[in-house]
């Protein structure tokens, strides 16, 4: 009898776990959704991608309702924004010793991740005849290991991070382990990222990085308390929005759908905050069809941008 009960319990738990992978798109209010200000077209602004490393995953582990058998490449990247006033990285990509950095992540992630290193950020810069000095700034979408790894080779470049994210990274949070390790090795050149530039579309506050509307940072708390998203208005008239890890896939915005429960548990600080952001991003995409929304890890979307 006891065995039967235990078996039943296991089956119920497995069914419950299975349910967390079933597609359940978030509900989106009807109506048009928020329109963005016109694209600020500034001469000499471009955005490209340094593809630092790949990790193999399955679609279904990245977005709720995705196929559990469909392979998905998780790209670990830095975005390079060129502007007449300077060159800025959005996230730091990976360091030369990214394999050691992977050791700071939870066991499950380490075990599942099959990491292929392609080009550490510093090597991508060097190959183009550039040095860390040629970077004006690094803006962090958030403080998790796969976004800060590259800082290890870019020590003197100013790093922009929100006070909320800095506090989170320096707390006991599991996701901030590598960040704390890097800071313990030697101090980073931190700059406080605050939002004093007024509304931008549906975002109540913003930070106009070059003060010409070309690169606009907005708060996007949820995945972490101090996550930010970055609008880049390109010379071509195209506008992109880098959303960090609010979603790992474009389906997360298109359907919209959150990460499956296991992934949320491991990486998202505030799951309900993430859901709100996903609904907003879905509405934003609907009202601004020309906007390219770029999850930090969706290699299929990265392929639509220029390679550095
Ligand atoms: Zn990430």
């Amino acid at each position: 009898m006891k065995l039967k009960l235990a078996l039943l319990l296991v089956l119920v738990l497995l069914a419950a776990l299975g349910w967390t992978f079933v597609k359940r798109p978030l509900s989106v209010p009807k109506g048009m959704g928020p329109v963005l200000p016109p694209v600020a077209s500034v001469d000499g602004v471009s955005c490209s991608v340094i593809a630092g490393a790949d990790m193999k995953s399955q679609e279904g582990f990245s977005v709720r309702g995705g196929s559990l058998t469909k392979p998905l490449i998780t790209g670990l990247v830095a975005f390079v924004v060129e502007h007449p006033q300077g060159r800025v990285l959005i996230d730091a990509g990976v360091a030369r010793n990214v394999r050691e950095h992977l050791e700071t992540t939870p066991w499950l992630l380490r075990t599942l991740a099959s990491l292929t290193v392609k080009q550490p950020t510093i090597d991508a810069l060097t190959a183009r005849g550039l040095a860390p000095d040629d970077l004006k700034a690094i803006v962090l979408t958030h403080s998790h290991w796969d976004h800060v790894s590259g800082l290890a080779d870019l020590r003197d470049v100013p790093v922009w991070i929100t006070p909320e994210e800095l506090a989170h990274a320096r707390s006991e949070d599991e996701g901030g382990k590598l960040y704390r390790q890097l800071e313990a090795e030697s101090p980073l050149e931190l700059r406080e990222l605050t939002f004093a530039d007024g509304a931008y579309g549906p975002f109540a506050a913003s930070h106009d990085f070059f003060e010409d509307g070309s690169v606009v940072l907005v708060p996007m708390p949820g995945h972490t308390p101090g996550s930010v998203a970055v609008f880049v208005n390109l010379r071509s008239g195209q506008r992109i929005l880098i959303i960090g890890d609010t979603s790992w896939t474009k389906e997360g915005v298109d359907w919209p759908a959150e990460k499956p429960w296991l992934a949320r548990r491991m990486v998202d600080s505030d799951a309900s905050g993430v859901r709100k952001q996903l609904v907003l991003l879905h509405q934003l995409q609907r009202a601004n069809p020309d906007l390219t929304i770029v999850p930090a890890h969706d290699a299929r979307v990265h392929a639509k941008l220029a390679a550095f």
Side-chain angles (χ1 to χ4, degrees), residues 142 144 146-147 223 245 248 296-297:
H142 63 291
H144 286 166
D146 47 327
H147 301 257
H223 176 61
D245 286 5
W248 282 336
H297 295 305

Side-chain angles (χ1 to χ4, degrees), residues 13-81:
L13 286 175
L14 279 176
L17 183 64
W19 162 246
T20 66
F21 290 100
V22 171
K23 190 167 180 176
R24 272 196 86 211
L26 303 169
S27 78
V28 181
K30 292 205 168 54
M32 200 41 206
V35 176
L36 292 168
V39 174
S41 197
V42 175
D43 270 332
V45 176
S46 68
C47 181
S48 59
V49 180
I50 298 175
D54 282 347
M55 293 199 313
K56 286 201 190 91
S57 180
Q58 308 298 124
E59 188 191 62
F61 288 122
S62 301
V63 59
R64 181 166 187 181
S67 159
L68 288 167
T69 55
K70 191 170 162 188
L72 185 82
I73 297 294
T74 296
L76 274 48
V77 305
F79 300 92
V80 185
V81 176

Side-chain angles (χ1 to χ4, degrees), residues 25 71 82 110 159 165 171 218 272 298:
E82 307 271 0
R110 250 185 356 250
V159 175
E165 190 63 14
S171 72
V218 294
S272 111
D298 193 328

Side-chain angles (χ1 to χ4, degrees), residues 96-114:
R96 285 179 179 145
N97 62 342
V98 61
R99 284 192 187 283
E100 284 167 44
H101 290 173
L102 182 62
E103 294 301 310
T104 65
T105 65
W107 173 85
L108 186 62
L109 196 146
R110 250 185 356 250
T111 312
L112 294 178
S114 144

Side-chain angles (χ1 to χ4, degrees), residues 133-146:
D133 275 359
D134 295 307
L135 297 176
K136 180 186 172 73
I138 300 170
V139 175
L140 295 178
T141 62
H142 63 291
S143 58
H144 286 166
W145 80 281
D146 47 327

Side-chain angles (χ1 to χ4, degrees), residues 45-224:
V45 176
S46 68
C47 181
S48 59
V49 180
I50 298 175
D54 282 347
M55 293 199 313
K56 286 201 190 91
S57 180
Q58 308 298 124
E59 188 191 62
F61 288 122
S62 301
V63 59
R64 181 166 187 181
S67 159
L68 288 167
T69 55
K70 191 170 162 188
L72 185 82
I73 297 294
T74 296
L76 274 48
V77 305
F79 300 92
V80 185
V81 176
E82 307 271 0
H83 186 282
Q85 290 176 46
R87 185 179 289 107
V88 174
L89 294 188
I90 312 299
D91 288 335
V94 303
R96 285 179 179 145
N97 62 342
V98 61
R99 284 192 187 283
E100 284 167 44
H101 290 173
L102 182 62
E103 294 301 310
T104 65
T105 65
W107 173 85
L108 186 62
L109 196 146
R110 250 185 356 250
T111 312
L112 294 178
S114 144
L115 184 78
T116 306
V117 181
K118 293 164 81 180
Q119 194 166 38
T121 306
I122 184 69
D123 293 339
L125 293 169
T126 309
R128 290 274 300 260
L130 300 170
D133 275 359
D134 295 307
L135 297 176
K136 180 186 172 73
I138 300 170
V139 175
L140 295 178
T141 62
H142 63 291
S143 58
H144 286 166
W145 80 281
D146 47 327
H147 301 257
V148 304
S149 168
L151 295 179
D153 305 322
L154 301 166
R155 282 292 178 177
D156 297 326
V157 184
V159 175
W160 290 71
I161 183 168
T162 61
E164 296 82 3
E165 190 63 14
L166 187 58
H168 178 67
R170 286 175 173 171
S171 72
E172 293 297 297
D173 177 67
E174 181 81 20
K177 237 178 176 175
L178 178 60
Y179 181 87
R180 294 193 291 278
Q181 185 181 306
L182 291 174
E183 262 201 329
E185 284 163 13
S186 75
L188 297 164
E189 275 291 316
L190 296 182
R191 302 286 183 276
E192 187 175 273
L193 173 54
T194 55
F195 303 96
D197 288 324
Y200 191 84
F203 301 96
S206 67
H207 181 112
D208 183 353
F209 199 81
F210 291 107
E211 297 175 344
D212 59 8
S214 61
V215 178
V216 180
L217 320 179
V218 294
M220 193 164 281
H223 176 61
T224 61

